């Protein structure tokens, strides 16, 4: 499966809407949805940094490695 970006848990913990997070980090809600729904092929470090800053978390809180057996 590969690497998955798990934003939903952190959004729920911070009680933040997708649109609000997208605005805070400077990307469109559609591009954030691509990350959120696992359709992204890559993520810029600057985007990951902004996500971590706004969600007050570490990259490891957002990135999950899954094998085909998971």
């Amino acid at each position: 499966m590969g690497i998955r970006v798990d934003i939903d848990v952190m959004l729920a913990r911070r009680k933040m809407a997708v649109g609000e997070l997208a605005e805070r980090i400077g990307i469109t809600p559609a591009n954030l949805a691509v990350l959120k729904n696992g359709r992204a092929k890559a993520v810029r470090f600057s985007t990951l940094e902004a996500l971590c800053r706004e969600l007050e978390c570490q990259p490891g809180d957002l990135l999950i490695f899954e094998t085909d057996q998971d």
Side-chain angles (χ1 to χ4, degrees):
M1 177 100 188
I3 302 219
R4 179 171 55 92
V5 181
D6 190 18
I7 298 172
D8 288 330
V9 172
M10 296 310 292
L11 280 172
R13 287 183 184 166
R14 303 299 182 256
K15 296 181 178 145
M16 188 182 301
V18 173
E20 179 183 352
L21 179 59
E23 185 177 320
R24 285 184 178 196
I25 66 172
I27 66 173
T28 66
N31 284 338
L32 186 55
V34 168
L35 281 175
K36 212 169 96 53
N37 297 326
R39 295 186 314 252
K41 298 293 182 196
V43 60
R44 292 177 184 258
F45 279 139
S46 59
T47 301
L48 183 59
E49 180 182 351
L51 284 166
C52 290
R53 183 183 60 247
E54 293 303 323
L55 294 172
E56 299 176 355
C57 65
Q58 294 295 312
D61 297 328
L62 299 175
L63 301 175
I64 298 167
F65 175 72
E66 295 178 331
T67 62
D68 288 336
Q69 291 91 13
D70 288 348

